[in-house]
Amino acid sequence: MVPMFKKVWAAVRTLYKPLIVLALSFTLVFSNAHDAWAARSGGRIGGGSFRAPSRTYRAPVGGGSNYRGGGYGGGFGFSPFMPFYGVGFGGGGLFSMLIMMAIASYLFQTFRNSFGDGALADSENPTISIAQVRVGLMAQARSLQVDMDRIAFNADTDSSTGRAKVLQEVSLALLRHPEYWVYGSAATELPKLSGAETVFNRLAMSERSKFTEETLANMNGKVSSPKLAGATTTSIVPQTPAELVAMNGDAEYVVVTLLVATQSQLKFPKINSEADMKQTLNQIGSLPAADVMAIEVVWTPQADGDSLSSDDIMAHYPDLKLV
């Protein structure tokens, strides 16, 4: 009886062993996936618009319908074509008038085809630079997160001057922590104005989708925070190193992304070193206010106790390079 039982048990083990291994594999996979899909908090500062630049029309020098020439019959004035047609404007010759209108129309069309259409197209639908710069820092740069919170609470992104100031302050905050830089990337797209907003929104949505909750946001000068409703800037900013450690003791990295649409032509170096990163941040932080159309600055983690691991970096920011 015992040998028979052993044979049956061996058969059962042989049959169900693959199922047990498969079940364990699924358990491990989904437990790791849970860690990778865990809620990630993020902060956001944004604002701007994609209105076409205004154009001011100026009449050509010496032009205008009120022009009145002198002499020669008091009509339209001297005609250089009189020797050819033998008819002046003094008597209001209809044939000469039609000839002049035809020549004027021809000259206008020639000028428009050669210069006008291209110039009008470029002024009404210019090329826009949409730049995206990312910096990954070690979490020991915890004061950077405090700086980002302060900037978010005080930013006025409803004006081009305010948006340029945000870029400057964020760039300066990052430049003050080069010893903590680990990763970086920079890229630029050059759409026409008519398609720039679509490109900008696509990049912004991609960045915002990398965390599941926006715990602090300032859009067009309006601050919102579901966790800190009614709090003041001083009440949410930790003041001591011990408080900073308590906030994000388990964090490994902080990632800050700057996205800007500008009329300035931007060309960044390939990010392969600390010097490349400094040059890029200096360039994006010194953009003239008049050229800054829209910005989106996001960073993660933002909430107390949240963390960003090396696995998160590899999963969500594969284009980052070591600096």
Side-chain angles (χ1 to χ4, degrees):
M1 186 69 181
V2 174
M4 180 61 70
F5 176 78
K6 287 182 178 181
K7 289 181 180 180
V8 172
W9 175 243
V12 171
R13 288 181 59 188
T14 302
L15 178 63
Y16 285 100
K17 186 176 181 180
L19 296 177
I20 295 172
V21 171
L22 185 62
L24 289 174
S25 299
F26 269 106
T27 302
L28 291 173
V29 168
F30 281 107
S31 63
N32 291 334
H34 179 268
D35 293 337
W37 297 338
R40 296 284 178 257
S41 65
R44 177 191 181 199
I45 307 171
S49 66
F50 287 83
R51 291 190 296 268
S54 59
R55 295 188 300 112
T56 301
Y57 172 76
R58 291 184 179 181
V61 176
S65 57
N66 294 325
Y67 173 79
R68 298 180 64 88
Y72 297 99
F76 286 89
F78 172 74
S79 170
F81 300 97
M82 283 177 62
F84 298 96
Y85 299 103
V87 181
F89 284 103
L94 179 62
F95 180 74
S96 296
M97 183 182 297
L98 293 175
I99 292 294
M100 285 297 295
M101 291 176 61
I103 293 174
S105 176
Y106 171 78
L107 293 175
F108 175 76
Q109 291 296 334
T110 301
F111 176 80
R112 181 176 180 180
N113 292 336
S114 300
F115 304 101
D117 285 347
L120 289 175
D122 288 342
S123 63
E124 293 176 351
N125 194 28
T127 299
I128 303 299
S129 293
I130 297 183
Q132 184 180 67
V133 177
R134 289 198 194 98
V135 184
L137 307 93
M138 298 175 63
Q140 282 79 0
R142 294 184 180 94
S143 60
L144 172 67
Q145 292 166 280
V146 177
D147 290 337
M148 297 300 297
D149 289 349
R150 285 184 174 138
I151 294 170
F153 266 83
N154 297 306
D156 175 19
T157 56
D158 201 27
S159 67
S160 59
T161 301
R163 293 190 289 271
K165 184 178 179 181
V166 169
L167 292 178
Q168 184 180 55
E169 291 186 356
V170 173
S171 298
L172 282 172
L174 291 167
L175 286 166
R176 292 186 180 117
H177 298 281
E179 68 275 17
Y180 296 119
W181 295 349
V182 183
Y183 301 104
S185 69
T188 305
E189 295 192 33
L190 300 172
K192 290 294 187 179
L193 177 62
S194 57
E197 186 170 7
T198 299
V199 174
F200 184 88
N201 290 341
R202 169 174 57 82
L203 294 173
M205 290 292 290
S206 176
E207 290 304 302
R208 294 172 61 194
S209 67
K210 291 170 184 175
F211 41 82
T212 56
E213 183 181 8
E214 289 177 356
T215 46
L216 177 60
N218 180 334
M219 284 302 298
N220 294 314
K222 297 180 180 179
V223 180
S224 62
S225 177
K227 292 183 63 178
L228 304 173
T232 63
T233 304
T234 55
S235 69
I236 69 154
V237 176
Q239 301 297 316
T240 67
E243 289 177 314
L244 292 174
V245 172
M247 277 179 60
N248 294 294
D250 297 330
E252 296 180 33
Y253 297 99
V254 178
V255 174
V256 180
T257 301
L258 298 91
L259 182 63
V260 57
T262 174
Q263 297 179 60
S264 301
Q265 296 301 306
L266 295 177
K267 186 176 181 181
F268 299 128
K270 291 184 178 180
I271 306 299
N272 293 314
S273 66
E274 184 177 305
D276 296 333
M277 195 74 256
K278 285 183 178 179
Q279 179 181 341
T280 299
L281 289 173
N282 278 314
Q283 189 174 353
I284 201 170
S286 58
L287 287 171
D291 289 350
V292 178
M293 302 180 71
I295 66 168
E296 189 87 22
V297 180
V298 298
W299 71 99
T300 183
Q302 191 280 324
D304 299 1
D306 198 2
S307 64
L308 190 68
S309 68
S310 56
D311 290 338
D312 295 323
I313 294 288
M314 290 187 292
H316 301 298
Y317 304 96
D319 60 326
L320 287 176
K321 296 182 179 179
L322 290 170
V323 296

